[in-house]
Amino acid sequence: MNTVIALWIRGLKAFVRNKTGLIFSLVFPFFFVYVFGAIFKTDFIENPIAYMLSGVIIVTVFESALSLASGTVDDMVSGFMKEVLVSPTKRIAVAMGQLLSAATVSTVQGIMILIVGLFIGIEFTSWITPLYVLLSMICIGIVFSGVGLYMATKVRNGQTFQIIKAAVTMPLTFLSGAYIPLSMLPGTLRYVAYLNPMTYATAFFRMIVLEKTHLSIEELVREELVVQINGFVVTPFLTFVIIVCIGLIFLTLSTISFTKTDFSRVSRSDTDANSLWG
């Protein structure tokens, strides 16, 4: 447990000390809020700013959770991870520390944007909504921290990890409904979006932030707060189940991969693409 806490605190300290990254993580998302909020204003969206903000918040949590895995790659390349693992520490405790740290920092970044959003468009009428929002961010942060750690254990180079991360986050973000409603996507891309786990995370989180959980399925479909696949409606409960299943799969895969990774093969000068992905 001490290892988990130590790595968790280390991750939080690194986040707080990176003031430039902290400022840009707050400023950059609001660019999308005003650009896409104005462009995609439609009749079925009552409050386009709040609609976009909810998407921006969960995208920030998602991207932060994946980005923080780059710290794991840096630890591997710098040799820090090998030093940790030669101690009596169990690998699973190290993996848990990395996951907890990434999930916490990504949630904090989401909360920071949420706080600003409360002044420009988001409104809560129930005291329990912020609690549900916080739990949703923690849950989604943990899920995608698992995805990020799994990617980190398969990549041997920090630069390549950034390229792969960008190649993964861009399509998953723009095909999730966070910025562009799914109904506005071309038919082919809409089917791709149905395979995107972020689509379900976005729909679930947006429904909670906009306090639409009391609406009927028909009303949720009309306001595009649930995913509808050829007439089949993925209900909020089923959406939550999908998110949990994805989380369990990647948390298991990342933990297994982390415990089996041979960190002695990681080299500071390893830039050969052939050495990537295992």
Side-chain angles (χ1 to χ4, degrees), residues 179-229:
Y179 298 137
I180 306 171
L182 295 184
S183 62
M184 295 185 177
L185 293 176
T188 304
L189 291 181
R190 202 178 304 160
Y191 282 102
V192 176
Y194 295 151
L195 301 175
N196 179 5
M198 265 302 292
T199 300
Y200 303 95
T202 301
F204 184 77
F205 184 76
R206 179 170 279 150
M207 181 180 59
I208 292 175
V209 172
L210 300 181
E211 295 185 319
K212 301 291 187 179
T213 53
H214 63 284
L215 297 182
S216 65
I217 294 298
E218 291 75 15
E219 290 171 317
L220 290 173
V221 170
R222 188 165 54 249
E223 297 195 19
E224 295 206 31
L225 295 174
V226 291
V227 180
Q228 187 177 28
I229 307 172

Short mmCIF file of all heavy atoms in Angstrom, two decimals, residues 179-229:
data_model
loop_
_atom_site.label_atom_id
_atom_site.label_comp_id
_atom_site.label_asym_id
_atom_site.label_seq_id
_atom_site.Cartn_x
_atom_site.Cartn_y
_atom_site.Cartn_z
N TYR A 179 -17.80 16.57 -29.56
CA TYR A 179 -17.78 17.84 -30.27
C TYR A 179 -18.86 17.90 -31.35
O TYR A 179 -19.47 18.93 -31.57
CB TYR A 179 -16.41 18.05 -30.92
CG TYR A 179 -15.26 18.13 -29.95
CD1 TYR A 179 -14.06 17.47 -30.21
CD2 TYR A 179 -15.37 18.85 -28.77
CE1 TYR A 179 -13.00 17.54 -29.31
CE2 TYR A 179 -14.32 18.92 -27.87
CZ TYR A 179 -13.13 18.26 -28.15
OH TYR A 179 -12.08 18.33 -27.27
N ILE A 180 -19.02 16.79 -32.05
CA ILE A 180 -19.96 16.74 -33.17
C ILE A 180 -21.03 15.70 -32.85
O ILE A 180 -20.70 14.52 -32.66
CB ILE A 180 -19.25 16.36 -34.48
CG1 ILE A 180 -18.06 17.30 -34.73
CG2 ILE A 180 -20.21 16.38 -35.65
CD1 ILE A 180 -17.17 16.87 -35.86
N PRO A 181 -22.31 16.10 -32.76
CA PRO A 181 -23.37 15.10 -32.51
C PRO A 181 -23.33 13.97 -33.54
O PRO A 181 -23.06 14.20 -34.71
CB PRO A 181 -24.66 15.93 -32.63
CG PRO A 181 -24.23 17.34 -32.31
CD PRO A 181 -22.83 17.47 -32.85
N LEU A 182 -23.60 12.76 -33.09
CA LEU A 182 -23.50 11.60 -33.97
C LEU A 182 -24.42 11.72 -35.18
O LEU A 182 -24.10 11.21 -36.26
CB LEU A 182 -23.86 10.32 -33.19
CG LEU A 182 -22.92 9.93 -32.04
CD1 LEU A 182 -23.36 8.60 -31.44
CD2 LEU A 182 -21.47 9.86 -32.52
N SER A 183 -25.56 12.41 -35.03
CA SER A 183 -26.50 12.53 -36.15
C SER A 183 -25.92 13.35 -37.29
O SER A 183 -26.41 13.29 -38.42
CB SER A 183 -27.80 13.19 -35.67
OG SER A 183 -27.53 14.50 -35.18
N MET A 184 -24.88 14.14 -37.01
CA MET A 184 -24.26 14.98 -38.05
C MET A 184 -23.10 14.28 -38.75
O MET A 184 -22.52 14.84 -39.68
CB MET A 184 -23.76 16.29 -37.44
CG MET A 184 -24.87 17.17 -36.91
SD MET A 184 -24.26 18.76 -36.33
CE MET A 184 -25.79 19.57 -35.87
N LEU A 185 -22.76 13.07 -38.29
CA LEU A 185 -21.67 12.35 -38.93
C LEU A 185 -22.18 11.61 -40.16
O LEU A 185 -23.34 11.18 -40.20
CB LEU A 185 -21.08 11.32 -37.94
CG LEU A 185 -20.35 11.87 -36.72
CD1 LEU A 185 -19.94 10.71 -35.80
CD2 LEU A 185 -19.12 12.67 -37.13
N PRO A 186 -21.33 11.43 -41.17
CA PRO A 186 -21.71 10.57 -42.31
C PRO A 186 -22.00 9.14 -41.84
O PRO A 186 -21.50 8.72 -40.79
CB PRO A 186 -20.46 10.63 -43.21
CG PRO A 186 -19.72 11.85 -42.78
CD PRO A 186 -20.00 12.03 -41.32
N GLY A 187 -22.78 8.44 -42.64
CA GLY A 187 -23.22 7.10 -42.23
C GLY A 187 -22.08 6.17 -41.85
O GLY A 187 -22.13 5.48 -40.82
N THR A 188 -21.01 6.14 -42.65
CA THR A 188 -19.89 5.22 -42.38
C THR A 188 -19.21 5.58 -41.06
O THR A 188 -18.94 4.70 -40.24
CB THR A 188 -18.86 5.29 -43.52
OG1 THR A 188 -19.51 5.00 -44.75
CG2 THR A 188 -17.75 4.28 -43.29
N LEU A 189 -18.95 6.88 -40.88
CA LEU A 189 -18.29 7.30 -39.64
C LEU A 189 -19.17 7.05 -38.43
O LEU A 189 -18.68 6.80 -37.33
CB LEU A 189 -17.92 8.78 -39.73
CG LEU A 189 -16.81 9.14 -40.72
CD1 LEU A 189 -16.53 10.64 -40.69
CD2 LEU A 189 -15.53 8.37 -40.39
N ARG A 190 -20.48 7.11 -38.62
CA ARG A 190 -21.39 6.85 -37.49
C ARG A 190 -21.25 5.40 -37.01
O ARG A 190 -21.27 5.13 -35.81
CB ARG A 190 -22.82 7.13 -37.93
CG ARG A 190 -23.76 7.43 -36.76
CD ARG A 190 -25.14 7.75 -37.27
NE ARG A 190 -25.12 8.85 -38.23
CZ ARG A 190 -26.10 9.08 -39.10
NH1 ARG A 190 -27.15 8.28 -39.13
NH2 ARG A 190 -26.01 10.08 -39.94
N TYR A 191 -21.07 4.48 -37.95
CA TYR A 191 -20.88 3.08 -37.56
C TYR A 191 -19.54 2.89 -36.85
O TYR A 191 -19.41 2.07 -35.93
CB TYR A 191 -20.99 2.16 -38.78
CG TYR A 191 -22.41 1.91 -39.20
CD1 TYR A 191 -22.95 2.57 -40.30
CD2 TYR A 191 -23.22 1.03 -38.48
CE1 TYR A 191 -24.27 2.37 -40.68
CE2 TYR A 191 -24.55 0.82 -38.84
CZ TYR A 191 -25.06 1.49 -39.95
OH TYR A 191 -26.37 1.29 -40.31
N VAL A 192 -18.54 3.66 -37.28
CA VAL A 192 -17.25 3.61 -36.58
C VAL A 192 -17.42 4.13 -35.15
O VAL A 192 -16.85 3.59 -34.20
CB VAL A 192 -16.19 4.44 -37.33
CG1 VAL A 192 -14.88 4.47 -36.56
CG2 VAL A 192 -15.96 3.88 -38.73
N ALA A 193 -18.23 5.19 -35.02
CA ALA A 193 -18.47 5.78 -33.70
C ALA A 193 -19.13 4.78 -32.74
O ALA A 193 -18.88 4.81 -31.54
CB ALA A 193 -19.33 7.03 -33.84
N TYR A 194 -19.96 3.89 -33.31
CA TYR A 194 -20.63 2.90 -32.45
C TYR A 194 -19.63 1.94 -31.82
O TYR A 194 -19.89 1.34 -30.77
CB TYR A 194 -21.65 2.10 -33.27
CG TYR A 194 -22.81 2.92 -33.80
CD1 TYR A 194 -23.46 2.57 -34.98
CD2 TYR A 194 -23.24 4.06 -33.13
CE1 TYR A 194 -24.52 3.32 -35.47
CE2 TYR A 194 -24.30 4.82 -33.62
CZ TYR A 194 -24.93 4.45 -34.79
OH TYR A 194 -25.98 5.20 -35.28
N LEU A 195 -18.46 1.78 -32.46
CA LEU A 195 -17.41 0.88 -31.93
C LEU A 195 -16.47 1.61 -30.97
O LEU A 195 -15.57 1.00 -30.41
CB LEU A 195 -16.60 0.29 -33.09
CG LEU A 195 -17.40 -0.51 -34.12
CD1 LEU A 195 -16.49 -0.93 -35.27
CD2 LEU A 195 -18.04 -1.74 -33.48
N ASN A 196 -16.67 2.91 -30.85
CA ASN A 196 -15.78 3.74 -30.05
C ASN A 196 -16.23 3.75 -28.59
O ASN A 196 -17.35 4.19 -28.29
CB ASN A 196 -15.80 5.17 -30.64
CG ASN A 196 -14.93 6.13 -29.87
OD1 ASN A 196 -14.23 5.73 -28.94
ND2 ASN A 196 -14.98 7.38 -30.26
N PRO A 197 -15.42 3.31 -27.66
CA PRO A 197 -15.84 3.32 -26.24
C PRO A 197 -16.12 4.71 -25.71
O PRO A 197 -16.93 4.89 -24.80
CB PRO A 197 -14.65 2.67 -25.52
CG PRO A 197 -13.50 2.75 -26.46
CD PRO A 197 -14.08 2.72 -27.83
N MET A 198 -15.45 5.73 -26.29
CA MET A 198 -15.68 7.10 -25.85
C MET A 198 -17.09 7.59 -26.17
O MET A 198 -17.62 8.49 -25.52
CB MET A 198 -14.64 8.03 -26.50
CG MET A 198 -13.41 8.30 -25.65
SD MET A 198 -13.81 9.04 -24.06
CE MET A 198 -14.40 10.65 -24.58
N THR A 199 -17.71 7.00 -27.20
CA THR A 199 -19.09 7.37 -27.55
C THR A 199 -20.02 7.12 -26.36
O THR A 199 -20.86 7.97 -26.02
CB THR A 199 -19.55 6.56 -28.76
OG1 THR A 199 -18.69 6.84 -29.87
CG2 THR A 199 -20.97 6.89 -29.14
N TYR A 200 -19.85 5.98 -25.72
CA TYR A 200 -20.73 5.61 -24.61
C TYR A 200 -20.38 6.39 -23.34
O TYR A 200 -21.26 6.77 -22.58
CB TYR A 200 -20.64 4.10 -24.39
CG TYR A 200 -20.99 3.35 -25.65
CD1 TYR A 200 -20.01 2.90 -26.54
CD2 TYR A 200 -22.33 3.13 -26.00
CE1 TYR A 200 -20.33 2.25 -27.71
CE2 TYR A 200 -22.66 2.49 -27.18
CZ TYR A 200 -21.65 2.06 -28.03
OH TYR A 200 -21.98 1.43 -29.21
N ALA A 201 -19.07 6.64 -23.16
CA ALA A 201 -18.65 7.43 -22.00
C ALA A 201 -19.19 8.86 -22.11
O ALA A 201 -19.66 9.44 -21.13
CB ALA A 201 -17.12 7.44 -21.90
N THR A 202 -19.14 9.41 -23.33
CA THR A 202 -19.63 10.77 -23.55
C THR A 202 -21.13 10.87 -23.33
O THR A 202 -21.62 11.78 -22.65
CB THR A 202 -19.28 11.24 -24.98
OG1 THR A 202 -17.87 11.20 -25.15
CG2 THR A 202 -19.78 12.64 -25.24
N ALA A 203 -21.88 9.92 -23.90
CA ALA A 203 -23.34 9.94 -23.76
C ALA A 203 -23.75 9.81 -22.29
O ALA A 203 -24.63 10.54 -21.81
CB ALA A 203 -23.95 8.81 -24.59
N PHE A 204 -23.09 8.91 -21.58
CA PHE A 204 -23.42 8.69 -20.17
C PHE A 204 -23.11 9.93 -19.33
O PHE A 204 -23.93 10.39 -18.53
CB PHE A 204 -22.63 7.48 -19.65
CG PHE A 204 -22.96 7.09 -18.24
CD1 PHE A 204 -24.12 6.40 -17.95
CD2 PHE A 204 -22.11 7.43 -17.20
CE1 PHE A 204 -24.43 6.04 -16.65
CE2 PHE A 204 -22.42 7.07 -15.90
CZ PHE A 204 -23.57 6.38 -15.62
N PHE A 205 -21.92 10.49 -19.54
CA PHE A 205 -21.49 11.64 -18.75
C PHE A 205 -22.35 12.86 -19.06
O PHE A 205 -22.75 13.61 -18.17
CB PHE A 205 -20.02 11.94 -19.04
CG PHE A 205 -19.45 13.05 -18.21
CD1 PHE A 205 -19.14 12.85 -16.88
CD2 PHE A 205 -19.24 14.31 -18.75
CE1 PHE A 205 -18.62 13.88 -16.11
CE2 PHE A 205 -18.73 15.34 -17.98
CZ PHE A 205 -18.42 15.12 -16.66
N ARG A 206 -22.65 13.07 -20.33
CA ARG A 206 -23.44 14.25 -20.73
C ARG A 206 -24.85 14.19 -20.14
O ARG A 206 -25.39 15.21 -19.71
CB ARG A 206 -23.49 14.31 -22.25
CG ARG A 206 -24.30 15.47 -22.80
CD ARG A 206 -24.10 15.61 -24.29
NE ARG A 206 -22.87 16.32 -24.61
CZ ARG A 206 -22.16 16.10 -25.71
NH1 ARG A 206 -22.53 15.18 -26.57
NH2 ARG A 206 -21.08 16.81 -25.94
N MET A 207 -25.42 13.02 -20.11
CA MET A 207 -26.76 12.86 -19.54
C MET A 207 -26.77 13.26 -18.06
O MET A 207 -27.70 13.89 -17.57
CB MET A 207 -27.22 11.40 -19.70
CG MET A 207 -28.61 11.12 -19.16
SD MET A 207 -29.05 9.39 -19.37
CE MET A 207 -27.73 8.58 -18.45
N ILE A 208 -25.70 12.92 -17.35
CA ILE A 208 -25.61 13.26 -15.92
C ILE A 208 -25.38 14.74 -15.72
O ILE A 208 -26.04 15.39 -14.90
CB ILE A 208 -24.50 12.43 -15.26
CG1 ILE A 208 -24.89 10.96 -15.24
CG2 ILE A 208 -24.23 12.93 -13.83
CD1 ILE A 208 -23.82 10.06 -14.72
N VAL A 209 -24.43 15.31 -16.48
CA VAL A 209 -24.11 16.74 -16.32
C VAL A 209 -25.32 17.61 -16.64
O VAL A 209 -25.59 18.60 -15.94
CB VAL A 209 -22.92 17.13 -17.21
CG1 VAL A 209 -22.71 18.64 -17.21
CG2 VAL A 209 -21.66 16.44 -16.74
N LEU A 210 -26.05 17.25 -17.69
CA LEU A 210 -27.22 18.05 -18.09
C LEU A 210 -28.45 17.72 -17.28
O LEU A 210 -29.53 18.27 -17.53
CB LEU A 210 -27.50 17.84 -19.59
CG LEU A 210 -26.36 18.25 -20.55
CD1 LEU A 210 -26.77 18.02 -21.99
CD2 LEU A 210 -25.97 19.70 -20.33
N GLU A 211 -28.31 16.81 -16.31
CA GLU A 211 -29.41 16.41 -15.42
C GLU A 211 -30.63 15.94 -16.23
O GLU A 211 -31.76 16.40 -16.02
CB GLU A 211 -29.79 17.57 -14.50
CG GLU A 211 -28.68 17.96 -13.54
CD GLU A 211 -29.11 19.03 -12.55
OE1 GLU A 211 -29.80 19.97 -12.97
OE2 GLU A 211 -28.75 18.92 -11.36
N LYS A 212 -30.38 15.00 -17.14
CA LYS A 212 -31.44 14.48 -17.99
C LYS A 212 -31.78 13.02 -17.64
O LYS A 212 -32.42 12.33 -18.44
CB LYS A 212 -31.02 14.56 -19.46
CG LYS A 212 -30.70 15.97 -19.96
CD LYS A 212 -31.93 16.83 -20.05
CE LYS A 212 -31.62 18.17 -20.71
NZ LYS A 212 -32.81 19.03 -20.83
N THR A 213 -31.35 12.57 -16.48
CA THR A 213 -31.55 11.16 -16.14
C THR A 213 -33.03 10.82 -15.94
O THR A 213 -33.40 9.65 -15.98
CB THR A 213 -30.78 10.81 -14.85
OG1 THR A 213 -31.15 11.74 -13.83
CG2 THR A 213 -29.27 10.89 -15.07
N HIS A 214 -33.86 11.84 -15.72
CA HIS A 214 -35.28 11.59 -15.47
C HIS A 214 -36.07 11.48 -16.77
O HIS A 214 -37.26 11.12 -16.74
CB HIS A 214 -35.86 12.73 -14.64
CG HIS A 214 -35.80 14.06 -15.35
ND1 HIS A 214 -34.63 14.80 -15.47
CD2 HIS A 214 -36.77 14.78 -16.00
CE1 HIS A 214 -34.88 15.91 -16.15
NE2 HIS A 214 -36.16 15.92 -16.49
N LEU A 215 -35.46 11.78 -17.89
CA LEU A 215 -36.18 11.75 -19.16
C LEU A 215 -36.49 10.32 -19.60
O LEU A 215 -35.79 9.38 -19.22
CB LEU A 215 -35.37 12.46 -20.25
CG LEU A 215 -35.06 13.95 -20.07
CD1 LEU A 215 -34.29 14.48 -21.27
CD2 LEU A 215 -36.34 14.74 -19.84
N SER A 216 -37.52 10.20 -20.39
CA SER A 216 -37.84 8.89 -20.96
C SER A 216 -36.83 8.55 -22.06
O SER A 216 -36.11 9.42 -22.54
CB SER A 216 -39.26 8.91 -21.54
OG SER A 216 -39.31 9.81 -22.64
N ILE A 217 -36.83 7.29 -22.46
CA ILE A 217 -35.90 6.87 -23.52
C ILE A 217 -36.16 7.65 -24.80
O ILE A 217 -35.23 8.06 -25.49
CB ILE A 217 -36.05 5.35 -23.78
CG1 ILE A 217 -35.60 4.56 -22.54
CG2 ILE A 217 -35.22 4.95 -24.99
CD1 ILE A 217 -34.13 4.75 -22.18
N GLU A 218 -37.45 7.88 -25.11
CA GLU A 218 -37.79 8.62 -26.33
C GLU A 218 -37.22 10.03 -26.30
O GLU A 218 -36.70 10.54 -27.29
CB GLU A 218 -39.32 8.67 -26.52
CG GLU A 218 -39.96 7.33 -26.86
CD GLU A 218 -40.07 6.41 -25.66
OE1 GLU A 218 -39.91 6.91 -24.51
OE2 GLU A 218 -40.28 5.21 -25.85
N GLU A 219 -37.32 10.66 -25.11
CA GLU A 219 -36.80 12.03 -24.98
C GLU A 219 -35.27 12.05 -25.04
O GLU A 219 -34.67 12.96 -25.60
CB GLU A 219 -37.29 12.65 -23.67
CG GLU A 219 -38.79 12.95 -23.66
CD GLU A 219 -39.28 13.37 -22.29
OE1 GLU A 219 -38.87 12.74 -21.28
OE2 GLU A 219 -40.07 14.33 -22.22
N LEU A 220 -34.65 11.04 -24.43
CA LEU A 220 -33.18 10.96 -24.49
C LEU A 220 -32.69 10.76 -25.92
O LEU A 220 -31.68 11.34 -26.33
CB LEU A 220 -32.69 9.80 -23.61
CG LEU A 220 -32.84 9.98 -22.10
CD1 LEU A 220 -32.48 8.70 -21.36
CD2 LEU A 220 -31.96 11.13 -21.60
N VAL A 221 -33.44 9.95 -26.68
CA VAL A 221 -33.08 9.75 -28.09
C VAL A 221 -33.22 11.06 -28.87
O VAL A 221 -32.35 11.42 -29.67
CB VAL A 221 -33.97 8.66 -28.72
CG1 VAL A 221 -33.77 8.61 -30.24
CG2 VAL A 221 -33.68 7.30 -28.10
N ARG A 222 -34.31 11.78 -28.61
CA ARG A 222 -34.56 13.04 -29.32
C ARG A 222 -33.46 14.07 -29.03
O ARG A 222 -33.08 14.84 -29.91
CB ARG A 222 -35.93 13.60 -28.93
CG ARG A 222 -36.36 14.79 -29.77
CD ARG A 222 -37.85 15.10 -29.62
NE ARG A 222 -38.26 15.29 -28.24
CZ ARG A 222 -39.04 14.46 -27.57
NH1 ARG A 222 -39.49 13.37 -28.18
NH2 ARG A 222 -39.38 14.68 -26.32
N GLU A 223 -32.95 14.06 -27.80
CA GLU A 223 -31.90 15.02 -27.43
C GLU A 223 -30.49 14.45 -27.62
O GLU A 223 -29.52 15.04 -27.19
CB GLU A 223 -32.08 15.46 -25.98
CG GLU A 223 -33.40 16.18 -25.74
CD GLU A 223 -33.44 16.92 -24.42
OE1 GLU A 223 -32.37 17.18 -23.85
OE2 GLU A 223 -34.55 17.23 -23.97
N GLU A 224 -30.42 13.27 -28.26
CA GLU A 224 -29.14 12.62 -28.57
C GLU A 224 -28.28 12.41 -27.33
O GLU A 224 -27.08 12.66 -27.33
CB GLU A 224 -28.37 13.42 -29.63
CG GLU A 224 -29.08 13.43 -30.96
CD GLU A 224 -28.13 13.64 -32.12
OE1 GLU A 224 -26.97 13.20 -32.02
OE2 GLU A 224 -28.55 14.23 -33.11
N LEU A 225 -28.91 11.94 -26.27
CA LEU A 225 -28.18 11.66 -25.03
C LEU A 225 -28.01 10.15 -24.82
O LEU A 225 -27.48 9.74 -23.78
CB LEU A 225 -28.91 12.29 -23.83
CG LEU A 225 -28.96 13.82 -23.86
CD1 LEU A 225 -29.82 14.35 -22.73
CD2 LEU A 225 -27.56 14.40 -23.77
N VAL A 226 -28.49 9.37 -25.75
CA VAL A 226 -28.23 7.94 -25.76
C VAL A 226 -27.83 7.55 -27.18
O VAL A 226 -28.10 8.27 -28.13
CB VAL A 226 -29.47 7.11 -25.32
CG1 VAL A 226 -29.78 7.31 -23.85
CG2 VAL A 226 -30.68 7.45 -26.18
N VAL A 227 -27.20 6.40 -27.27
CA VAL A 227 -26.76 5.91 -28.59
C VAL A 227 -27.85 5.02 -29.17
O VAL A 227 -28.36 4.13 -28.48
CB VAL A 227 -25.44 5.12 -28.46
CG1 VAL A 227 -24.98 4.61 -29.82
CG2 VAL A 227 -24.36 6.01 -27.83
N GLN A 228 -28.19 5.27 -30.43
CA GLN A 228 -29.20 4.47 -31.12
C GLN A 228 -28.56 3.85 -32.35
O GLN A 228 -28.09 4.56 -33.25
CB GLN A 228 -30.39 5.34 -31.52
CG GLN A 228 -31.56 4.54 -32.09
CD GLN A 228 -32.75 5.43 -32.40
OE1 GLN A 228 -32.58 6.61 -32.69
NE2 GLN A 228 -33.94 4.87 -32.37
N ILE A 229 -28.54 2.51 -32.36
CA ILE A 229 -27.90 1.78 -33.46
C ILE A 229 -28.97 1.06 -34.27
O ILE A 229 -29.51 0.04 -33.84
CB ILE A 229 -26.87 0.76 -32.92
CG1 ILE A 229 -25.88 1.46 -31.98
CG2 ILE A 229 -26.14 0.07 -34.06
CD1 ILE A 229 -24.95 0.50 -31.27
#
